[in-house]
Amino acid sequence: MIITSCTGFLYRIESVDFGDVMMDCYEIYALKYAGPFTSSGAFLMWLKDWEKVEERNYYIWCIKGARHTVVVDTGVSPDVAAEKNLAGYVSPADVLSRIGVKAQEVKHVVLTHIHWDHASGVTLFPGATVYVQEEEYDFWLKDPISQRPALRHLSHPPANAHLASLAKTSRLALLRGDQEILPGVECLLARGHTIALQAVAVKTAAGTAILGSDCAHFFRNYREDWPSALIFDLRAWMKSYEKLRARVSSPDLLFPGHDPLMSRNYPAVADGVTRLV
Ligand SMILES: [Zn+2]
């Protein structure tokens, strides 16, 4: 039998132990579930580009391997989308179905952080274990500071209540720092945009790719070493950027959270879905 490895080499093997041989190598898809939205460029590039108008999309991501499927972020559930009157909204569950993934059956969901556009669709994944940094979880669910006006609107209290209901069940995995959650899928603490955002490093045929989520909103943030306006801790962001850059196999495999280029510059595999790697 001949199989293709993660690096593209062909192997001829006598007997097949798929547990070892499938190489835990993944493809990564970006799934647009809302947008485009427009804002001043200063929202996306810290304190500059005030006069520019920039578009951004809302995404979730799907990491697909031979043995495991991982959904990164949940997007927004239909009721939250209606409440926020989200333009261009399609349920993340419907977008996932276009690449053959049933939200009801997904077993692994990584929440990069607990802002509403990334976490308030968690109810769409009733069978999944949710992986989130413990510090992020504790901040949004337990720290009164998170309920001050400037922060409260960034999260979604009913979704947080749902996350609270998962406490002490097998459906919640609270991570402390970097942790491999499945072979070839590692969560990386990347503070800055929030108190404990986590990126996801993924083994792919092109090397290690990283879904940085809102560690950067646009590719430009990484390229120009310039954060977006939504930064909880700027010094931490600088360090996180260094960390992700050191871990990724090449700069073009470091993906942002909201850049429309993820929809435009990669092969489309279904409506609203592109293959990043
Ligand atoms: Zn976001």
Side-chain angles (χ1 to χ4, degrees):
M1 179 176 186
I2 294 174
I3 61 161
T4 306
S5 81
C6 237
T7 48
F9 292 107
L10 295 180
Y11 288 91
R12 185 179 295 279
I13 52 177
E14 297 303 319
S15 66
V16 180
D17 176 351
F18 280 97
D20 293 323
V21 168
M22 295 313 274
M23 301 291 180
D24 293 310
C25 186
Y26 300 85
E27 293 186 331
I28 303 177
Y29 298 86
L31 300 94
K32 179 190 163 211
Y33 75 85
F37 303 94
T38 55
S39 64
S40 162
F43 180 70
L44 299 154
M45 299 299 281
W46 168 273
L47 294 182
K48 67 174 183 177
D49 292 351
W50 292 97
E51 72 293 353
K52 290 186 186 165
V53 175
E54 296 279 8
E55 284 190 347
R56 67 187 189 281
N57 287 335
Y58 288 2
Y59 294 95
I60 65 169
W61 298 268
C62 185
I63 300 168
K64 279 181 97 173
R67 292 196 294 171
H68 303 292
T69 296
V70 181
V71 172
V72 177
D73 287 339
T74 65
V76 168
S77 63
D79 51 327
V80 180
E83 179 189 313
K84 294 184 178 288
N85 199 18
L86 275 193
Y89 175 78
V90 182
S91 170
D94 292 345
V95 190
L96 278 167
S97 73
R98 296 172 190 165
I99 54 169
V101 175
K102 293 179 180 151
Q104 298 269 341
E105 296 174 5
V106 168
K107 291 194 168 60
H108 308 284
V109 166
V110 172
L111 290 184
T112 61
H113 60 299
I114 305 186
H115 281 175
W116 64 268
D117 55 319
H118 296 260
S120 67
V122 66
T123 49
L124 298 171
F125 302 91
T129 295
V130 175
Y131 302 84
V132 62
Q133 288 289 319
E134 184 171 38
E135 217 176 321
E136 180 81 5
Y137 183 90
D138 284 349
F139 178 72
W140 292 105
L141 275 64
K142 299 174 188 172
D143 189 333
I145 293 282
S146 72
Q147 297 307 305
R148 301 274 282 275
L151 289 165
R152 183 181 163 84
H153 75 107
L154 296 172
S155 189
H156 191 258
N160 295 355
H162 181 77
L163 286 172
S165 77
L166 302 183
K168 297 190 172 67
T169 73
S170 60
R171 290 202 46 223
L172 182 70
L174 294 176
L175 310 184
R176 294 178 179 170
D178 301 350
Q179 192 172 320
E180 188 173 57
I181 60 168
L182 291 164
V185 181
E186 185 181 5
C187 292
L188 300 175
L189 177 60
R191 305 175 191 280
H193 174 66
T194 64
I195 196 162
L197 178 145
Q198 59 184 357
V200 188
V202 184
K203 187 177 172 188
T204 76
T208 299
I210 293 182
L211 292 170
S213 185
D214 288 359
C215 186
H217 281 64
F218 279 14
F219 287 103
R220 268 184 75 199
N221 298 117
Y222 290 129
R223 207 168 52 233
E224 298 178 22
D225 193 19
W226 197 285
S228 78
L230 267 169
I231 297 293
F232 190 88
D233 183 334
L234 193 53
R235 182 170 179 266
W237 184 87
M238 299 286 178
K239 289 184 173 177
S240 293
Y241 174 40
E242 291 301 315
K243 174 177 177 175
L244 299 188
R245 194 161 56 175
R247 282 294 309 274
V248 77
S249 288
S250 74
D252 59 331
L253 293 176
L254 177 51
F255 295 98
H258 290 273
D259 199 327
L261 294 180
M262 280 188 286
S263 297
R264 290 191 204 130
N265 286 359
Y266 297 86
V269 297
D271 189 21
V273 186
T274 46
R275 189 177 61 247
L276 299 178
V277 191

